[in-house]
Amino acid sequence: MTARTGKPGISEKFAELKARGEGALVSYVMAGDPSPEATREIVAALARGGTDIIELGLPFSDPVADGPTIQAAGQRALAAGMDTERFFELVEELGSEISGIPFVCMTYYNLVFRYGIEKFVAGSAKAGISGLIIPDLPVEEASELRESCERHGLDLIFLIAPTTTGERVRKVLERSSGFVYLVSRLGVTGTSSEVSGATKELLARVETDIPKAVGFGVSNGNQAAEIRKAGADGVIVGSAFVKIIESGNNVNERLETLARELKNGILEADKSE
């Protein structure tokens, strides 16, 4: 339990789900897209749909790991005035409205570095963030951020791709906490029609007690079930939600429905094991 916010931490959430024999649904949206006010309703809809962990993007002007859908969401959020200070305020507001769901911040290292590493981590912890994902920060260069995260009780989550070598996998696992983010395919974020064999091979290759969550390309309940059956502890979904937000059409109801479909897919896989 995070002392400052009363929220369960990421490890606690995975442990709670594991005790029930459940996989986790990790849902990503861009904070401030299309507005900070709308994000509060969006997150509430995802929570109603059964989301276990919320991943909030802090928009950056050059998001190298994001595909067109999430790049566009970042531009909309920046145009709506989202910045680091407003992000922390929004997270604090969300924490007062939604209990039992850890928040993870996904952003890029330039923002963290320019803001000040210690200041950024302290601000994240104060706001109620449980962990950070910084996709453009190599594990070998993350010691300062990692030490700051340890001081403030935040998890630092690293990515492993199908091309990551055995030696780098070992380094990532040594320095990861919360969960390890397994990238389901090469390239950037976006939806996909099927779960690749590389995803299943990666799940088998990464041997660790740290929960393994798979992202990039997941968009429906069948895919979520397949990934869970392949050995993932969690399924991460982003672009499918962001596309609904971009449409502006019956957004919150559709987000809740998709989250429920994804969570039900995970639960069906749990029953079949």
Side-chain angles (χ1 to χ4, degrees), residues 224-245:
E226 197 174 345
I227 286 170
R228 174 63 174 156
K229 283 177 187 171
D233 301 291
V235 178
I236 304 168
V237 181
S239 293
F241 290 128
V242 174
K243 282 182 176 178
I244 291 172
I245 295 165

Side-chain angles (χ1 to χ4, degrees), residues 156-220:
L156 186 55
I157 297 152
F158 292 101
L159 284 72
I160 296 176
T163 51
T164 306
T165 64
E167 175 60 20
R168 279 189 63 78
V169 167
R170 186 184 61 76
K171 283 182 185 176
V172 167
L173 295 178
E174 280 176 358
R175 298 165 200 185
S176 292
S177 60
F179 65 88
V180 60
Y181 191 136
L182 302 188
V183 177
S184 65
R185 62 180 190 197
L186 302 181
V188 294
T189 58
T191 57
S192 178
S193 60
E194 59 186 32
V195 178
S196 73
T199 303
K200 297 170 186 177
E201 288 168 19
L202 186 61
L203 277 162
R205 184 160 67 92
V206 176
E207 297 181 12
T208 178
D209 292 331
I210 303 168
K212 296 182 283 192
V214 172
F216 282 47
V218 186
S219 59
N220 60 56

Side-chain angles (χ1 to χ4, degrees), residues 58-60 82-89 92 105 107-127 132 134 144-145 148:
L58 171 56
F60 178 56
M82 184 52 62
D83 59 18
T84 304
E85 293 291 343
R86 184 68 189 94
F87 178 81
F88 290 153
E89 290 169 11
E92 210 160 337
C105 169
T107 193
Y108 289 87
Y109 191 57
N110 184 275
L111 275 180
V112 178
F113 184 77
R114 289 296 299 274
Y115 192 79
I117 291 170
E118 181 69 15
K119 184 182 173 190
F120 185 90
V121 175
S124 296
K126 183 174 182 291
L132 301 179
I134 315 289
E144 187 178 352
L145 179 59
S148 188

